[in-house]
């Protein structure tokens, strides 16, 4: 199949979270399975530092934004060590900025325009390069307009097409009536897939931004693009795509309920026949404890056989690197996270002091984001310098070393569409302690007596997002660490043997694409 994957970020070119990991690992896995996959994303500043050459395609993007024309350039590269092409939509005024979506916590005012430009560019790229595309796979709100443009403007046979007004929303731009032109066959064959990685981030803008999209106002209705008087780009993706997916089976169920639906549960329930939950995989080359360049001197790599010998060395090196006393006997707790209310880290800040005093535990905390949380962790580190080390930074190599050196990895998320760090942790023999929600519930099996005996426990879990529940699970985990060392080792072995590689999930996406292509 010919698959074009559109995303606002993809590692290693640009990353703010797990979206970037998935938007590189999944296309690469699909390509390894024999499909013809390309990725397209914005050309942010920094993409040139990845170490692969980036070239111009010589093609100019000519995009209508409201009543203006905005030009862009189409660049081309590939993911490192692969042949998977990556196209970049270049328009420096939009994308050469400090952050991807915001600066110092404040969203860019023109985010709607930035991603209108990107989405239109994706559709235009197909004809500029004469790309054969069977599946156009869009991800999250930044790409939500793509299925809408495909259906309403680019397909000659669209059921949404308004034939009475061929230039609707486009002023005098004849070039932009692509319907029934020579390019129509390129688009008519395409099916669209839209993946929700996080329902909370919806790309909501004031309604007059509808004019920027160039789409007819008749789509500004409660069953398509309108959401409580605002324009909602995630909802647009949900309502216009042929098939919807989200990143774990549990989250696919949860988002149809009031508690997790972010006021879109009705729309999602309406589309439940085409909504699928496919668990994310992990890139087992990048996250490979047996061969991890981030763990080179003074760190060591380890695999299932050498884990009990070498992981303690990683722990020691981590304590050194983070300025904590080298204490092999105390549990070392790891956190690598965006600081966002989603992640439930406020619960940890309430309990950290108590845990330090009662159990002598150490923490290494790597994260940035919410300034309140940054302040709280900073404060905790100053109160307990021997036990709590905090780095308010985004560092890929550090995150590898935390995964390798910690004993227990904490993810008390209030909601978690999938979560990748619990799977990275398991692969590094670091037991995750998680709240049972979304993908965490689909990947972590609690270390209860019964589950340990059955040989299936691979972490620790709690139910309610309360300090009480978290504390109970934590006390049990600490008891296992200190007093049931054999059980702990057994769980480490089970966790490390878990196969979270992309191959299985990529196959599920491929099957889904195939089914879709067979439908009329
Ligand atoms: P989310 O996408 O909601 O942030 P995931 O668990 O799916 O959650 O993915 C988070 C990704 O971002 C992981 O690859 C994690 O290692 C990475 N990450 C988050 N914060 C940091 C940080 N401060 N430094 C390095 N990597 C980070
Ligand atoms: C989102 C979610 C996270 C998921 C990631 C990749 O950022 O918060 O749970 O793993 O996307 O799908």
């Amino acid at each position: 199949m010919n698959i074009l994957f559109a995303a606002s970020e993809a590692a290693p070119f640009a990353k703010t979270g797990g979206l970037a990991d998935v938007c590189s690992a999944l296309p690469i896995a699909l390509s390894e399975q024999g499909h013809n996959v390309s990725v397209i994303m914005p050309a942010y500043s920094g993409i040139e530092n990845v170490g692969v050459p980036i070239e111009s395609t010589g093609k100019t993007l000519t995009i209508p934004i409201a009543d203006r024309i905005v030009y862009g350039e189409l660049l081309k590269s590939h993911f490192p060590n692969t042949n998977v092409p990556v196209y970049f939509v270049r328009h420096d005024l939009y994308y050469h900025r400090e952050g991807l979506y915001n600066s110092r916590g404040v969203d860019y005012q023109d985010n709607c325009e930035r991603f209108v430009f990107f989405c239109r560019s994706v559709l235009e790229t197909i004809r500029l390069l004469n790309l054969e595309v069977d599946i156009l796979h869009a991800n999250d709100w930044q790409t939500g307009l793509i299925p809408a443009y495909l259906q309403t403007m680019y397909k000659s046979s669209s059921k949404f097409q308004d034939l009475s007004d061929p230039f609707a929303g486009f002023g005098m731009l004849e070039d932009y009536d692509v319907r029934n032109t020579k390019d129509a066959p390129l688009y008519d064959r395409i099916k669209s897939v839209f993946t929700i990685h996080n329902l909370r981030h919806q790309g909501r803008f004031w309604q007059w931004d509808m004019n920027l999209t160039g789409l007819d106002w008749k789509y500004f209705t409660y069953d398509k693009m309108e959401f409580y008087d605002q324009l909602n780009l995630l909802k647009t993706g949900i309502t216009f795509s042929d098939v919807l997916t989200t990143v774990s089976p549990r989250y696919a169920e949860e988002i149809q309920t009031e508690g997790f639906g972010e006021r879109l549960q009705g729309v999602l329930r309406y589309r439940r026949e085409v909504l699928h939950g496919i668990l994310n995989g992990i890139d087992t080359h990048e996250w490979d404890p047996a061969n991890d360049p981030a763990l080179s001197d003074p760190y060591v790599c380890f695999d299932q056989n050498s884990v009990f010998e070498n992981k303690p060395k990683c722990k020691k090196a981590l304590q050194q690197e983070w300025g904590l006393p080298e204490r092999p006997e105390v549990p070392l707790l790891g956190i690598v996270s965006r600081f966002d209310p989603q992640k439930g880290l406020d619960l940890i800040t309430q309990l950290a002091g108590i845990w330090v005093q009662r159990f002598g535990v150490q923490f290494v905390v790597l994260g940035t984001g919410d300034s309140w949380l940054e302040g709280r962790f900073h404060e905790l580190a100053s109160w307990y310098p021997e036990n709590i080390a905090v780095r308010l930074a985004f560092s890929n190599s550090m995150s590898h070393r935390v995964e390798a050196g910690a004993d227990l990895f904490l993810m008390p998320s209030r909601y978690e569409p999938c979560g990748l760090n619990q799977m990275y942790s398991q692969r590094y023999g670091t037991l995750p302690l998680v709240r049972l929600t979304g993908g965490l519930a689909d990947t972590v099996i609690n270390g209860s007596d019964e589950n340990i005996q059955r040989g299936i426990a691979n972490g620790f879990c709690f139910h309610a997002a309360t300090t009480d529940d978290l504390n109970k699970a934590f006390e049990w985990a600490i008891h296992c660490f200190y007093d049931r060392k054999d059980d702990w080792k057994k769980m480490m072995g089970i966790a490390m043997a878990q196969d979270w590689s992309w191959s299985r999930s990529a196959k599920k996406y491929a099957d889904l694409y195939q089914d879709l292509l067979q439908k009329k």
Side-chain angles (χ1 to χ4, degrees):
M1 285 175 281
N2 299 303
I3 302 153
L4 178 60
F5 213 86
S8 61
E9 48 186 277
F13 296 106
K15 169 166 169 174
T16 65
L19 174 67
D21 293 348
V22 173
C23 293
S24 56
L26 173 57
I28 292 170
L30 285 163
S31 149
E32 280 166 2
Q33 295 183 0
H35 301 289
N36 182 7
V37 195
S38 316
V39 174
I40 181 162
M41 61 181 283
Y44 302 108
S45 46
I47 56 169
E48 62 285 354
N49 302 331
V50 166
V52 284
I54 297 178
E55 291 157 10
S56 176
T57 58
K59 303 283 181 192
T60 300
L61 294 153
T62 312
I63 304 297
I65 301 276
D67 56 359
R68 290 171 292 137
I69 290 285
V70 181
Y71 297 97
E73 186 187 3
L74 192 62
L75 309 176
K76 186 178 178 186
S77 183
H78 54 84
F79 286 120
N81 310 317
T82 73
N83 295 323
V84 179
V86 182
Y87 296 102
F88 296 97
V89 171
R90 177 171 178 199
H91 182 86
D92 292 350
L93 278 177
Y94 288 145
Y95 308 126
H96 261 223
R97 300 191 184 176
E98 191 182 328
L100 267 48
Y101 318 116
N102 52 48
S103 168
R104 291 151 221 253
V106 181
D107 282 346
Y108 296 128
Q109 297 261 325
D110 59 348
N111 269 345
C112 186
E113 180 171 332
R114 297 170 75 223
F115 288 101
V116 164
F117 183 83
F118 176 64
C119 291
R120 278 305 297 268
S121 297
V122 172
L123 274 303
E124 284 299 308
T125 296
I126 293 171
R127 62 173 172 176
L128 279 178
L129 300 178
N130 212 9
L131 283 183
E132 280 187 19
V133 178
D134 302 307
I135 297 288
L136 182 49
H137 190 150
N139 295 274
D140 270 355
W141 71 264
Q142 298 88 341
T143 59
L145 285 165
I146 292 174
Y149 286 139
L150 180 65
Q151 292 287 8
T152 64
M153 285 182 191
Y154 285 79
K155 286 199 176 197
S156 59
S157 57
S158 162
K159 62 182 173 186
F160 296 107
Q161 198 189 118
D162 178 5
L163 286 170
S164 63
D165 180 9
F167 298 106
F170 287 96
M172 298 294 114
L173 302 166
E174 286 189 36
D175 276 359
Y176 283 85
D177 183 29
V178 296
R179 291 166 297 190
N180 303 316
T181 68
K182 63 175 178 28
D183 296 321
L186 277 178
Y187 297 102
D188 283 346
R189 59 191 285 178
I190 302 179
K191 300 282 187 190
S192 60
V193 176
F194 185 66
T195 296
I196 302 165
H197 295 262
N198 196 326
L199 194 67
R200 181 157 300 169
H201 303 290
Q202 300 182 1
R204 298 207 300 254
F205 302 98
W206 76 323
Q207 53 171 282
W208 297 104
D209 278 356
M210 191 66 193
N211 287 333
L212 297 174
T213 68
L215 288 165
D216 197 294
W217 277 91
K218 73 180 178 190
Y219 303 121
F220 193 73
T221 51
Y222 76 95
D223 60 339
K224 296 212 168 57
M225 304 176 76
E226 185 268 352
F227 181 83
Y228 300 92
D229 288 340
Q230 286 186 302
L231 168 63
N232 184 322
L233 299 187
L234 188 85
K235 182 172 175 178
T236 304
I238 292 173
T239 53
F240 280 96
S241 55
D242 293 316
V243 157
L244 278 175
T245 72
T246 187
V247 289
S248 69
R250 176 72 72 103
Y251 195 58
E253 295 299 320
E254 287 174 343
I255 56 179
Q256 297 179 51
T257 66
E258 203 181 330
F260 292 89
E262 306 285 346
R263 298 195 290 170
L264 286 171
Q265 63 271 18
V267 184
L268 289 160
R269 276 204 297 269
Y270 182 71
R271 300 225 68 201
R272 67 179 173 276
E273 299 293 319
V274 295
L275 169 61
H276 304 263
I278 302 179
L279 192 71
N280 283 335
I282 60 171
D283 182 336
T284 47
H285 301 297
E286 200 206 323
W287 295 92
D288 180 4
N291 182 20
D292 186 336
L295 307 192
S296 60
D297 194 33
Y299 287 78
V300 279
C301 298
F302 55 92
D303 53 24
Q304 286 223 48
N305 299 322
S306 65
V307 59
F308 300 116
E309 198 184 313
N310 284 345
K311 195 168 157 68
K313 294 183 191 159
C314 292
K315 178 171 175 176
K316 183 175 171 180
L318 189 64
Q319 287 164 327
Q320 272 173 4
E321 183 187 352
W322 288 61
L324 292 171
E326 286 166 39
R327 293 190 189 133
E329 72 291 354
V330 305
L332 179 54
L333 318 178
I335 293 176
V336 177
S337 183
R338 285 185 297 116
F339 285 178
D340 182 289
Q342 163 189 354
K343 302 294 179 182
L345 296 173
D346 51 308
L347 300 174
I348 305 274
T349 62
Q350 293 179 62
L351 291 167
I354 300 171
W355 292 348
V356 165
Q357 289 171 28
R358 281 188 60 197
F359 305 110
V361 296
Q362 293 180 334
F363 283 85
V364 287
V365 182
L366 175 63
T368 50
D370 182 279
S371 53
W372 181 83
L373 267 175
E374 287 191 353
R376 285 294 292 142
F377 276 117
H378 194 68
E379 200 171 47
L380 282 162
S382 67
W383 290 343
Y384 304 103
E386 303 246 306
N387 298 79
I388 302 182
V390 175
R391 300 281 158 87
L392 302 177
F394 197 98
S395 160
N396 199 33
S397 63
M398 268 192 200
S399 73
H400 281 243
R401 294 196 284 275
V402 173
E403 290 292 4
D407 296 300
L408 195 65
F409 192 91
L410 306 179
M411 290 182 80
S413 304
R414 292 206 147 72
Y415 73 94
E416 194 62 73
C418 180
L420 299 171
N421 280 108
Q422 79 279 16
M423 296 189 265
Y424 300 152
S425 301
Q426 288 170 339
R427 194 155 155 78
Y428 281 68
T430 302
L431 297 180
L433 189 160
V434 307
R435 173 151 181 261
L436 277 176
T437 181
L440 298 174
D442 288 333
T443 51
V444 183
I445 299 176
N446 187 33
S448 63
D449 267 332
E450 192 198 332
N451 289 339
I452 294 174
Q453 262 170 29
R454 286 175 60 205
I456 55 172
N458 60 13
F460 298 94
C461 307
F462 66 102
H463 283 274
T466 60
T467 46
D468 242 22
D469 255 31
L470 169 57
N471 194 42
K472 274 193 206 116
F474 184 77
E475 285 181 358
W476 174 250
I478 292 302
H479 164 66
C480 291
F481 181 88
Y482 279 124
D483 304 323
R484 301 172 59 152
K485 292 203 184 310
D486 286 344
D487 286 342
W488 189 280
K489 284 187 174 172
K490 188 172 164 188
M491 282 190 270
M492 279 172 70
I494 296 164
M496 287 190 87
Q498 215 84 59
D499 176 9
W500 299 126
S501 63
W502 261 107
S503 45
R504 201 177 326 139
S505 296
K507 177 82 179 51
K508 288 192 178 157
Y509 278 101
D511 290 346
L512 191 75
Y513 299 157
Q514 202 81 60
D515 286 352
L516 190 55
L517 291 175
Q518 266 146 27
K519 283 197 188 119
K520 269 267 160 206

XYZ file of all heavy atoms in Angstrom, residues 17-19 22 140 196-198 247 280 338 342-343 415-420, ligand 2:
159
model
N 6.674 15.136 22.607
C 6.155 14.018 23.402
C 6.054 12.762 22.560
O 6.684 12.651 21.496
N 5.222 11.834 23.036
C 5.125 10.520 22.411
C 4.618 10.546 20.973
O 4.905 9.629 20.202
N 3.875 11.585 20.614
C 3.402 11.708 19.231
C 4.569 11.582 18.252
O 4.475 10.879 17.236
C 2.706 13.075 19.064
C 2.268 13.450 17.653
C 1.154 12.533 17.168
C 1.789 14.911 17.597
N 5.843 7.990 17.917
C 4.946 7.138 17.129
C 5.021 7.502 15.647
O 5.017 6.622 14.783
C 3.492 7.277 17.647
C 2.513 6.538 16.753
C 3.402 6.751 19.068
N -3.783 13.724 15.246
C -4.074 14.809 16.198
C -4.566 16.096 15.528
O -4.603 16.210 14.306
C -2.865 15.074 17.094
C -2.907 14.216 18.364
O -3.905 13.505 18.561
O -1.951 14.260 19.160
N -6.257 9.704 17.057
C -6.302 10.602 18.221
C -5.235 10.137 19.209
O -5.325 9.037 19.755
C -7.676 10.523 18.915
C -8.787 10.888 17.946
C -7.703 11.394 20.164
C -10.169 10.490 18.439
N -4.230 10.982 19.421
C -3.204 10.652 20.407
C -3.533 11.265 21.756
O -3.017 10.826 22.781
C -1.830 11.152 19.944
C -1.343 10.453 18.706
N -0.461 9.386 18.756
C -1.640 10.634 17.405
C -0.221 8.970 17.518
N -0.932 9.706 16.679
N -4.337 12.313 21.739
C -4.676 12.953 23.002
C -5.921 13.803 22.792
O -5.879 14.814 22.107
C -3.505 13.837 23.464
C -3.631 14.216 24.914
O -4.743 14.401 25.415
N -2.508 14.326 25.597
N -4.831 5.304 20.502
C -3.570 4.596 20.674
C -3.563 3.483 21.736
O -2.504 2.957 22.059
C -2.430 5.606 20.913
C -2.127 6.364 19.625
C -2.774 6.594 22.023
N 0.022 1.486 20.896
C 1.325 1.895 20.350
C 2.375 0.830 20.617
O 2.316 0.124 21.620
C 1.821 3.159 21.046
C 1.118 4.411 20.561
O 0.624 4.444 19.438
N 1.093 5.433 21.384
N 6.397 15.087 30.453
C 5.924 16.456 30.298
C 5.268 16.800 31.620
O 4.557 15.971 32.211
C 4.861 16.521 29.189
C 5.400 16.426 27.800
C 4.298 16.633 26.755
N 3.265 15.616 26.801
C 1.990 15.830 27.099
N 1.562 17.035 27.371
N 1.122 14.840 27.104
N -2.323 16.251 33.061
C -2.629 14.886 32.621
C -1.832 13.836 33.392
O -2.304 12.741 33.663
C -2.311 14.760 31.116
C -2.180 13.341 30.602
C -1.651 13.251 29.169
O -1.482 14.257 28.504
N -1.410 12.054 28.696
N -0.587 14.177 33.717
C 0.344 13.160 34.202
C 0.223 12.845 35.691
O 0.904 11.951 36.197
C 1.780 13.568 33.865
C 2.028 13.785 32.370
C 1.904 12.485 31.578
C 2.126 12.705 30.087
N 1.958 11.471 29.303
N -5.164 10.579 33.026
C -5.579 9.814 31.847
C -4.319 9.596 31.023
O -3.348 10.356 31.138
C -6.666 10.540 31.041
C -6.197 11.739 30.253
C -5.834 11.613 28.912
C -6.089 12.989 30.838
C -5.398 12.713 28.190
C -5.648 14.100 30.124
C -5.299 13.948 28.800
O -4.846 15.027 28.084
N -4.285 8.556 30.219
C -3.089 8.286 29.414
C -3.498 7.520 28.166
O -3.749 6.314 28.208
C -2.077 7.465 30.227
C -0.693 7.420 29.627
C -0.042 8.808 29.543
O 0.367 9.358 30.573
O 0.006 9.337 28.416
N -3.593 8.216 27.035
C -4.038 7.553 25.807
C -3.263 6.258 25.536
O -3.855 5.219 25.253
C -3.779 8.606 24.736
C -3.944 9.905 25.483
C -3.389 9.654 26.848
N -1.954 6.306 25.622
C -1.183 5.056 25.596
C -0.082 5.147 26.640
O -0.063 4.418 27.602
C -0.582 4.783 24.218
S 0.352 3.246 24.251
N 0.850 6.088 26.433
C 2.016 6.141 27.314
C 3.075 5.229 26.740
O 2.791 4.088 26.350
N 4.270 5.752 26.628
C 5.363 4.944 26.083
C 6.378 4.605 27.173
O 7.000 3.543 27.162
C 6.064 5.720 24.962
C 5.153 6.071 23.771
C 5.869 7.017 22.811
C 4.723 4.812 23.041
C -0.020 11.427 23.466
C -0.459 10.727 24.729
C 0.365 9.513 25.068
C 0.653 8.672 23.835
C 1.284 9.543 22.770
C 1.612 8.781 21.496
O 0.895 12.430 23.673
O -0.517 11.606 25.831
O -0.317 8.732 26.027
O 1.504 7.604 24.158
O 0.413 10.571 22.423
O 0.487 8.175 20.932
